[in-house]
């Protein structure tokens, strides 16, 4: 039997772990470790454990695992009734089945590899009222046990369909995901030992999401670590079912309803990341980078790459064959979006293969590059290495004056982008500026005025970006932040009223416009917005009148005269002199204010 070197399976992965109401190992784990010669009761079970020799490592087996042990069973008077030592052959059995004694299983779950202990079991956890050969009824028994090794056993689907026995632990804790490309070696046999499938010596590579051979293989692989070796017992429903499989590639056929035995090794895998979250830019990591830091947005990066089309045509090389590498700042639109977004996720020294859809490449236009022309709507492939990057300093790395200067710089960059019509990027610049002067910072009194003005200015400008991008709720939230500081800020009231009108909340828009005019009665932009609001209110009233007319008509089908009179009354509501004047004013001068009449704050 192959010796297992350790244990790392979660309790939830192992079946049959609740033989006792309280797990005996729990109290032991929370108490100081036993010293050699010391005895302790396991929980409130009545089972006593005396440590004879220390074990190694910290892992312990769990119910469902296959343990290999030596033991000697005796009565309290020292009379031996069973022993594996007599013939020198240890015994292997599954914990939780009570093959030797119920209490012994519970005790073994507290042992480390190589540990030797003496368990004292009360009758209920020994052989009870019936006893056994050499053990009288209701006897207290003792077992001297040495835990040699164990194999972790996992019921992958929790239905007995795929049982995994871990023969050799893998490296680290990473496991492949559905997108990753895995390299595996396996051999599949029938119950009688006939080999029905086997990989070449170098293994077989495939993407997990694409599947391979039969369902159990991929289900097992996503539970494995790099370098892990396992044995699988696969029931037909996770193999080839009642159809079986015809003979192929020199291997015999697989009969219907066959149970398969699989020796499987996960040699390695290459993580694949959906960079943009919409399956249009994928990054396959060919070589892991250094440390844990990635470039992130705003980093100055240096990369080398080869780029080609799907047909293999290379259209650009940078930093290879003695060429100059490419330097750029991420999130500044200095390269195509797919390369930009992917570079921001890379570590120093990382090598990756990028597949980029046209939306994140050159789009629907022809792009003339160094080595070839890229046709419109082309899918692109980049093999990239992150040579170096310098991250933009985070707010917590700066002193107060540096934070204020950085916020001002970000704001100015946002203003330039706004003038160029790049509202998405401008909004992100304003957000970053606010991050530098957030309320969490411990600013002095003389600095508070500066940062308050910066925050208000960036929130207002961000609201203008949101309006341009039709993100009306975003505009409302940003304006509301300003109004929390200054309830009569005219720009905030004006822009929030615009957003409310776009969301058909005319009552809230009217309240904001009234407050703005109270603060600045002669403001031309606000007055124009008020005219537009009045026109929208008239149109809304007409729609409401029509709606109620139709509703009352349906309710009063049996009485034609009253309904007709009601229609006239609703269709032609009596107007006050003020309302009539307002309607004439809106019709005579249907002037709609521009959403950008109140310019972005440059101060």
């Amino acid at each position: 039997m192959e010796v297992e070197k350790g244990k790392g399976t979660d309790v939830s992965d192992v079946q049959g772990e609740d033989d006792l109401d309280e797990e005996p190992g729990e109290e032991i784990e929370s108490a100081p470790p036993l010293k050699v010669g010391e005895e302790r009761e396991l929980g409130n079970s009545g089972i006593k454990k005396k440590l004879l020799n220390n074990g190694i490592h910290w892992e312990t087996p769990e119910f469902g695992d296959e343990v290999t042990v030596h033991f000697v069973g005796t009565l309290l008077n020292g009379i031996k009734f069973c022993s594996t030592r007599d013939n020198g052959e240890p015994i292997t059995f599954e914990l939780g089945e009570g093959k030797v004694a119920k209490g012994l299983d519970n005790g073994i779950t507290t042992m480390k590899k190589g540990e030797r202990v003496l368990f004292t079991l009360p009758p209920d956890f020994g052989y009870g009222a019936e006893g056994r050969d050499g053990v009288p009824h209701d006897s207290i028994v003792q077992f001297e046990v040495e835990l040699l090794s164990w194999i972790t056993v996992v019921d992958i689907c929790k239905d007995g369909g795929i049982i995994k026995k871990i023969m050799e632990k893998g490296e680290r804790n990473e496991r492949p995901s559905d997108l990753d490309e895995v390299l595996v070696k396996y051999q599949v046999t029938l119950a009688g030992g006939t080999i029905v499938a086997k990989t070449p010596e170098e293994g077989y590579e495939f993407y997990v999401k694409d599947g391979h051979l039969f369902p159990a293989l991929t289900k097992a692989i996503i539970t494995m670590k790099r370098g892990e070796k396992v044995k699988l017992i696969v029931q037909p429903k996770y193999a080839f079912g009642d159809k079986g499989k015809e003979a192929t590639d020199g291997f015999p056929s697989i009969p219907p309803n066959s149970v398969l035995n699989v020796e499987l090794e996960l040699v390695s895998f290459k993580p694949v990341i959906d960079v943009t979250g919409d399956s249009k830019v994928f990054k396959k990591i060919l070589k892991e980078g250094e440390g844990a830091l990635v470039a992130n947005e705003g980093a100055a990066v240096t990369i080398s790459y080869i780029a080609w089309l799907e047909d293999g045509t290379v259209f650009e090389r940078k930093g290879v064959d003695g060429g100059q590498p490419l330097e750029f700042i991420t999130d500044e639109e200095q390269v195509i979006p797919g390369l930009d977004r992917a570079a921001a996720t890379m570590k120093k020294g990382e090598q990756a293969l990028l597949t980029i859809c046209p939306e994140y490449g050159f789009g629907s236009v022809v792009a003339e590059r160094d080595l070839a022309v890229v046709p419109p709507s082309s899918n692109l492939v980049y093999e990239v290495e992150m040579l170096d990057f310098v991250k933009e300093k985070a707010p917590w790395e700066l002193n107060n004056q540096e934070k204020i200067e950085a916020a001002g710089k970000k704001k100015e960059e946002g203003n330039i982008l706004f003038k160029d019509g790049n509202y998405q990027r401008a909004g992100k610049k304003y957000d970053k500026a606010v991050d530098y002067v957030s309320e969490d910072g411990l600013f002095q009194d003389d600095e508070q005025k500066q940062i308050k003005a910066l925050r208000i200015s960036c929130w207002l400008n961000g609201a203008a970006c949101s309006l341009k991008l039709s993100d009306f709720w975003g505009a409302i939230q940003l304006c509301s932040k300003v109004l929390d500081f200054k309830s009569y800020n005219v720009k905030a009231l004006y822009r929030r009223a615009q957003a409310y009108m776009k969301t058909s909340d005319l009552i809230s828009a009217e309240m904001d416009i009234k407050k703005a005019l109270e603060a600045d009665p002669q403001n031309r932009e606000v007055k124009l917005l008020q005219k537009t609001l009045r026109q929208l209110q008239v149109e809304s009233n007409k729609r409401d009148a029509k709606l109620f007319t139709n509703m009352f008509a349906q309710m009063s089908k049996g009485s034609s005269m009253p309904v007709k009179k009601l229609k006239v009354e609703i269709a032609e509501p009596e107007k006050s002199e003020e309302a009539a004047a307002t309607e004439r004013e809106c019709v005579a001068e249907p002037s709609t204010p521009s959403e950008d009449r109140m310019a972005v704050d440059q101060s």
Side-chain angles (χ1 to χ4, degrees):
M1 178 168 182
E2 194 166 335
V3 175
E4 218 275 331
K5 296 182 180 178
K7 179 85 175 91
T9 304
D10 293 336
V11 172
S12 59
D13 289 336
V14 183
Q15 56 187 0
E17 62 208 33
D18 53 357
D19 281 41
L20 289 176
D21 292 336
E22 181 180 14
E23 189 69 50
E26 291 178 1
E27 186 168 331
I28 292 296
E29 290 169 358
S30 61
L34 277 173
K35 297 178 181 178
V36 174
E38 184 180 357
E39 186 175 61
R40 180 181 297 156
E41 183 178 355
L42 302 182
N44 297 317
S45 64
I47 301 171
K48 293 180 180 179
K49 174 182 176 181
K50 183 177 182 180
L51 182 62
L52 303 179
N53 281 109
N54 283 313
I56 59 174
H57 308 308
W58 56 269
E59 300 98 333
T60 59
E62 298 174 352
F63 289 112
D65 291 353
E66 289 184 0
V67 296
T68 300
V69 300
H70 266 307
F71 66 80
V72 178
T74 61
L75 302 178
L76 287 180
N77 59 14
I79 295 176
K80 180 170 63 175
F81 59 85
C82 64
S83 174
T84 61
R85 300 282 189 186
D86 292 346
N87 58 14
E89 289 293 330
I91 185 173
T92 298
F93 60 93
E94 181 180 329
L95 281 182
E97 293 188 343
K99 183 169 182 178
V100 180
K102 178 180 178 182
L104 191 63
D105 286 11
N106 289 288
I108 290 173
T109 63
T110 71
M111 297 180 67
K112 301 171 185 174
K113 182 183 176 185
E115 190 173 307
R116 190 166 63 89
V117 303
L118 179 67
F119 291 112
T120 302
L121 309 181
D124 288 346
F125 289 101
Y127 299 104
E130 295 181 357
R132 56 155 283 179
D133 291 343
V135 180
H137 63 85
D138 293 324
S139 293
I140 296 174
V141 294
Q142 292 184 318
F143 283 92
E144 182 185 306
V145 180
E146 181 182 4
L147 178 57
L148 302 177
S149 65
W150 73 89
I151 294 175
T152 301
V153 179
V154 182
D155 183 353
I156 290 177
C157 298
K158 308 301 181 188
D159 61 359
I162 309 173
I163 300 298
K164 179 180 82 168
K165 298 181 180 182
I166 301 177
M167 310 308 296
E168 189 173 321
K169 291 178 64 178
E171 305 168 5
R172 297 183 288 183
N173 286 321
E174 296 94 341
R175 294 177 173 86
S177 68
D178 285 346
L179 294 176
D180 295 348
E181 186 179 56
V182 296
L183 175 63
V184 300
K185 294 181 180 180
Y186 61 77
Q187 178 175 288
V188 183
T189 60
L190 299 177
T194 303
I195 298 175
V196 291
K198 186 177 180 179
T199 57
E201 185 62 32
E202 66 275 12
Y204 183 79
E205 199 167 34
F206 66 97
Y207 288 98
V208 175
K209 64 182 176 62
D210 294 337
H212 175 63
L213 201 60
F214 49 82
L217 208 61
T218 52
K219 289 181 180 294
I221 285 169
I222 60 175
T223 72
M224 297 172 66
K225 301 174 186 176
R226 194 189 312 265
E228 186 174 314
K229 296 180 180 180
V230 304
K231 289 184 177 180
L232 306 177
I233 302 173
V234 182
Q235 298 301 316
K237 69 175 180 178
Y238 292 108
F240 296 101
D242 56 7
K243 295 182 180 178
K245 183 178 181 291
E246 295 180 357
T248 55
D249 301 325
F251 292 104
S253 63
I254 299 174
N257 297 313
S258 293
V259 176
L260 302 180
N261 297 303
V262 184
E263 294 181 9
L264 174 65
E265 177 185 359
L266 176 58
V267 179
S268 64
F269 64 90
K270 296 169 184 172
V272 177
I273 298 166
D274 184 354
V275 174
T276 52
D278 56 6
S279 301
K280 293 184 177 178
V281 179
F282 286 110
K283 180 183 80 167
K284 179 165 70 175
I285 299 175
L286 304 177
K287 178 188 171 186
E288 289 282 352
E290 304 169 9
L293 294 178
V294 297
N296 281 339
E297 296 174 353
V301 303
T302 304
I303 64 172
S304 64
Y305 66 83
I306 302 174
W308 62 89
L309 304 175
E310 283 185 306
D311 64 4
T313 301
V314 175
F315 61 84
E316 199 165 41
R317 295 174 184 264
K318 297 288 183 182
V320 294
D321 299 331
Q324 188 71 20
L326 178 67
E327 298 180 1
F328 67 96
I329 297 174
T330 59
D331 199 37
E332 292 290 342
E333 296 187 356
Q334 296 175 5
V335 295
I336 60 170
L339 181 58
D340 195 344
R341 297 277 291 273
T345 70
M346 296 180 69
K347 302 174 184 177
K348 184 177 178 180
E350 180 180 323
Q351 295 177 11
L353 190 70
L354 311 180
T355 52
I356 302 173
C357 286
E359 294 92 324
Y360 292 92
F362 298 105
S364 58
V365 301
V366 175
E368 294 187 5
R369 310 310 292 172
D370 295 345
L371 304 177
V373 173
V374 177
S377 303
S378 292
N379 292 312
L380 312 174
V381 182
Y382 282 73
E383 187 171 333
V384 183
E385 180 176 3
M386 177 63 69
L387 301 176
D388 197 9
F389 63 81
V390 179
K391 289 173 66 72
E392 188 175 46
K393 283 190 175 181
W396 57 267
E397 298 177 287
L398 306 176
N399 61 39
N400 285 357
Q401 191 55 43
E402 289 172 333
K403 289 178 183 179
I404 293 171
E405 290 174 2
K409 182 180 177 182
K410 290 294 179 188
K411 178 191 162 187
E412 292 305 318
E413 291 173 357
N415 292 346
I416 294 170
L417 291 166
F418 189 94
K419 288 178 182 178
D420 292 340
N422 197 331
Y423 307 118
Q424 188 82 41
R425 287 185 58 213
K428 292 173 74 172
K429 293 289 185 182
Y430 297 135
D431 288 342
K432 283 187 176 182
V434 172
D435 287 342
Y436 282 109
V437 289
S438 68
E439 295 180 25
D440 296 334
L442 300 176
F443 294 97
Q444 302 298 320
D445 291 341
D446 58 335
E447 297 167 333
Q448 288 291 344
K449 186 175 180 180
Q450 284 180 278
I451 65 170
K452 181 178 178 181
L454 272 169
R455 283 204 294 264
I456 287 175
S457 177
C458 289
W459 284 332
L460 286 171
N461 293 355
C465 292
S466 295
L467 287 170
K468 291 289 189 181
L469 296 167
S470 298
D471 177 15
F472 304 120
W473 290 113
I476 290 168
Q477 289 176 342
L478 289 168
C479 290
S480 297
K481 288 182 179 181
V482 175
L483 295 168
D484 286 341
F485 276 93
K486 188 177 180 181
S487 60
Y488 278 86
N489 184 290
V490 176
K491 281 186 179 180
L493 291 165
Y494 172 77
R495 288 177 184 160
R496 192 168 74 170
Q498 285 181 302
Y500 278 137
M501 288 164 63
K502 291 292 188 180
T503 60
S504 300
D505 188 350
L506 303 185
I507 294 174
S508 296
E510 184 176 24
M511 292 173 63
D512 279 354
I513 288 172
K514 284 181 178 180
K515 287 185 72 173
L517 290 174
E518 287 175 16
D520 186 1
Q522 303 306 316
N523 190 295
R524 181 172 178 272
E525 284 81 7
V526 178
K527 285 185 174 182
L528 288 171
L529 189 64
Q530 186 181 48
K531 289 182 180 181
T532 302
L533 174 65
R534 288 173 177 170
Q535 187 172 354
L536 291 174
Q537 288 171 327
V538 169
E539 293 171 355
S540 178
N541 290 338
K542 288 181 179 179
R543 286 194 300 271
D544 290 346
K546 185 176 180 180
L547 175 66
F548 283 120
T549 299
N550 292 337
M551 182 176 70
F552 285 122
Q554 292 294 326
M555 294 172 60
S556 309
K557 285 182 179 179
S559 177
S560 58
M561 291 301 292
V563 173
K564 188 177 293 185
K565 182 178 180 182
L566 182 63
K567 284 183 179 179
V568 172
E569 290 174 351
I570 294 177
E572 298 294 337
E574 185 177 348
K575 300 185 182 72
S576 67
E577 185 175 342
E578 181 182 358
T582 298
E583 186 172 343
R584 286 195 301 274
E585 183 181 36
C586 289
V587 172
E589 190 179 356
S591 175
T592 302
S594 165
E595 292 180 353
D596 195 28
R597 282 186 178 275
M598 289 200 173
V600 169
D601 187 6
Q602 306 288 330
S603 60

